[in-house]
Amino acid sequence: AGTGLYGASQDTVYYLRTDSLRIGPDYLSDAVLRLRNNTGGLLGLKFWRNYTVTIDWSAEALYLEPYQNTPQIKSTSFGFGTDMSNDTLWVSSLTQPSPASAAGLQLQDRIIRLGNTPVAELDYCQVLEQLDTVQQIQLTIENGHRTQTIKLVKRDLYKSP
């Protein structure tokens, strides 16, 4: 799921690690691809930021020159994304497989506590900082009449569990 200029939408995102990827005459090694159902085949900024891109319009050619010290993609995660409105924190994206999906977290679950802290006492920047900096976390979630507490540990989402 995602929210943007044109409203909210639900989409499935797939991550694929390939040994090599060929784009025209160029080969990329150990590439991580992010594929979505509803993007119309777009390549995102996470792909392009690793290259100097030259477009030769007259030859109808695209040249990619990899940066020598390409930063590694951050792949450790709990496997979920959040959005916050009216002091309500909810699950807006979910990666399959991930620690979050294995623990039973679902889209639209309402997160009411991060650790021992009620979400109502946090602003969204504090929530994002905590989720980014810790390696494990305890969440208390609500979905309809269900309330449960789950513990999550970050892992590399591009490697098999």
Side-chain angles (χ1 to χ4, degrees), residues 107-121:
L107 290 173
Q108 306 300 316
D109 277 355
R110 184 173 161 234
I111 302 171
I112 58 175
R113 295 180 86 78
L114 288 177
N116 294 322
T117 307
V119 168
E121 295 177 9

Side-chain angles (χ1 to χ4, degrees), residues 4-24:
L5 181 62
Y6 300 105
S9 66
Q10 189 162 346
D11 193 5
T12 302
V13 179
Y14 303 93
Y15 291 91
L16 174 68
R17 177 168 278 185
T18 64
D19 294 332
S20 65
L21 173 67
R22 180 175 181 244
I23 299 177

Side-chain angles (χ1 to χ4, degrees), residues 63-130:
Y63 302 98
L64 302 176
E65 180 69 33
Y67 291 129
Q68 293 301 316
N69 296 316
T70 303
Q72 292 296 314
I73 295 173
K74 178 183 173 185
S75 60
T76 59
S77 173
F78 295 118
F80 72 97
T82 60
D83 202 352
M84 190 171 204
S85 60
N86 301 324
D87 294 327
T88 300
L89 182 69
W90 52 277
V91 177
S92 61
S93 64
L94 190 60
T95 301
Q96 299 275 354
S98 69
S101 64
L105 203 63
Q106 298 176 11
L107 290 173
Q108 306 300 316
D109 277 355
R110 184 173 161 234
I111 302 171
I112 58 175
R113 295 180 86 78
L114 288 177
N116 294 322
T117 307
V119 168
E121 295 177 9
L122 303 170
D123 64 38
Y124 194 46
C125 289
Q126 291 171 313
V127 168
L128 294 177
E129 180 179 4
Q130 186 169 353

